[in-house]
Amino acid sequence: GFREANIDRENSFANPWVNTVGVGLDVKNINTLSVGVVLDLEWKESIKQQWQREAYDLVMSAFQAQVDEYKAAVEARQLALRESEKDGESNRSFNRTLETRELQRLCIEMITKPFGIPQGMDFYRRNNCTAKINQSPLLDQYASHVKFFEQAFDWEIMSYLFYPYYWADDCSWADLLQTEYAPDPIFQAFLQSGMARIQVPVRPGFEDAVTYYMETGEIWNGGDLVMDSDDDLYISVAEELQEIEGFVEDQWETRIPTTLTVVQGDSVLLEEGGLPCCDDIGLSEEDQTLKSVSTILGEPKQDDS
């Protein structure tokens, strides 16, 4: 016969994954025996709720750990971007200075080369201890050229545009395309450019001096300037800009209206007639003035007597 298993239904499933249920069997004079045990188990509500809380806490703990890791990564990324922006702003300012300085050098070289004016000369005498300036007429001449080209043009407001790599030597195309500087696209265009277009305004007061240099290759340092050109029809750019286009045949006075324009004088206490009303058409100027005064002072009272 079978013996009913004695199960502590209150405490056996405190840890449902570990506890076991004991089953006893008492037999006599049997050589072979096969036993099958079927258990019908049910969750105890308190155990079920405890397991749910533990499972929820475990899931939420892992979720919160991932959230904290994500927030830390976002904060680190934002900090890196802010630092990069600060560095980028300072780098952009330096890059603009580098661009304008190099373009200025190229402009001066292109302007002076046709006249054979040297650029980048050395006037130092060096010995074992010091380096001294070699003062000579050539230094004075070179200094006058430096002064002229630095002052005659407004390099600070120079405008420029970079053209693509394919205007450079085709053997350098691969190197230019591989040159990258992502934080500053303008500087990247400068590094990859094959040519550039530059516009430099002449400083006010140097128009004649620049025109004289472009024609003769000589520096004008003041005094009366006499332009000498083989072309009798030559007109300098400075003279052409000074010409006044067109002329005024007649002059007249104008008056700008105020925003307080009175549309109809009868509507306010003014001694002006304002714009005529439909009943004023045909009245003389004297009659209109009398009507305006009557409106201001009021109509005379009728004598009842």
Side-chain angles (χ1 to χ4, degrees):
F2 288 92
R3 185 177 58 192
E4 182 181 359
N6 185 14
I7 300 175
D8 185 359
R9 299 182 183 275
E10 295 294 331
N11 301 318
S12 297
F13 298 97
N15 189 346
W17 311 113
V18 177
N19 282 13
T20 60
V21 178
V23 177
L25 180 63
D26 186 10
V27 297
K28 294 180 180 180
N29 301 323
I30 296 177
N31 294 328
T32 303
L33 178 66
S34 177
V35 178
V37 179
V38 178
L39 298 177
D40 295 330
L41 304 178
E42 294 182 0
W43 275 101
K44 185 179 180 182
E45 189 63 28
S46 59
I47 299 299
K48 180 180 179 181
Q49 293 178 359
Q50 180 181 355
W51 175 82
Q52 290 176 339
R53 287 193 298 269
E54 292 177 354
Y56 175 80
D57 293 340
L58 183 63
V59 172
M60 290 303 298
S61 177
F63 171 76
Q64 189 62 41
Q66 293 183 355
V67 170
D68 294 340
E69 183 180 357
Y70 171 77
K71 290 182 177 180
V74 170
E75 185 177 356
R77 176 60 177 171
Q78 292 177 347
L79 179 61
L81 288 176
R82 288 194 294 268
E83 295 296 331
S84 177
E85 289 177 357
K86 292 180 181 178
D87 296 339
E89 290 298 329
S90 59
N91 289 339
R92 288 187 181 92
S93 178
F94 174 77
N95 293 339
R96 297 295 85 76
T97 302
L98 182 61
E99 293 165 5
T100 55
R101 185 179 301 165
E102 184 64 16
L103 294 176
Q104 177 180 347
R105 182 189 67 81
L106 294 173
C107 289
I108 296 175
E109 180 180 347
M110 294 178 67
I111 295 173
T112 58
K113 189 173 183 179
F115 301 103
I117 299 177
Q119 186 179 7
M121 299 182 64
D122 185 9
F123 292 95
Y124 285 96
R125 297 196 312 268
R126 295 174 177 83
N127 52 32
N128 295 331
C129 298
T130 60
K132 297 182 179 180
I133 298 178
N134 183 15
Q135 299 185 10
S136 63
L138 182 60
L139 173 60
D140 296 336
Q141 182 181 0
Y142 187 76
S144 64
H145 282 82
V146 172
K147 179 181 178 181
F148 174 76
F149 287 108
E150 291 294 334
Q151 296 182 353
F153 300 92
D154 265 329
W155 300 107
E156 293 79 6
I157 57 177
M158 173 177 59
S159 61
Y160 48 89
L161 176 65
F162 298 119
Y163 291 141
Y165 68 94
Y166 48 75
W167 293 111
D169 181 17
D170 54 0
C171 295
S172 63
W173 287 3
D175 295 335
L176 292 177
L177 285 175
Q178 293 176 2
T179 304
E180 295 184 359
Y181 192 81
D184 191 347
I186 300 178
F187 191 67
Q188 180 171 342
F190 167 70
L191 296 176
Q192 293 183 339
S193 63
M195 189 168 287
R197 178 183 178 184
I198 307 168
Q199 290 183 337
V200 185
V202 176
R203 193 181 302 275
F206 285 83
E207 297 88 349
D208 293 335
V210 172
T211 303
Y212 179 75
Y213 170 80
M214 298 301 293
E215 291 296 324
T216 64
E218 298 179 0
I219 304 299
W220 175 58
N221 293 317
D224 294 334
L225 180 62
V226 179
M227 296 298 298
D228 185 11
S229 175
D230 296 334
D231 188 358
D232 295 336
L233 300 179
Y234 172 80
I235 299 177
S236 68
V237 176
E239 293 174 347
E240 189 172 0
L241 291 176
Q242 291 176 358
E243 290 185 358
I244 301 176
E245 297 182 359
F247 59 94
V248 178
E249 296 181 355
D250 195 4
Q251 297 180 354
W252 60 90
E253 293 184 0
T254 60
R255 178 177 299 176
I256 301 177
T258 175
T259 56
L260 302 177
T261 301
V262 177
V263 177
Q264 179 58 46
D266 292 344
S267 62
V268 293
L269 296 179
L270 294 176
E271 296 184 0
E272 281 80 10
L275 297 178
C277 290
C278 55
D279 56 351
D280 292 339
I281 298 177
L283 296 179
S284 64
E285 183 178 354
E286 182 179 358
D287 293 338
Q288 292 181 6
T289 303
L290 291 176
K291 181 178 179 181
S292 299
V293 173
S294 300
T295 303
I296 297 173
L297 299 179
E299 295 293 340
K301 294 184 180 180
Q302 299 292 335
D303 190 1
D304 296 337
S305 57

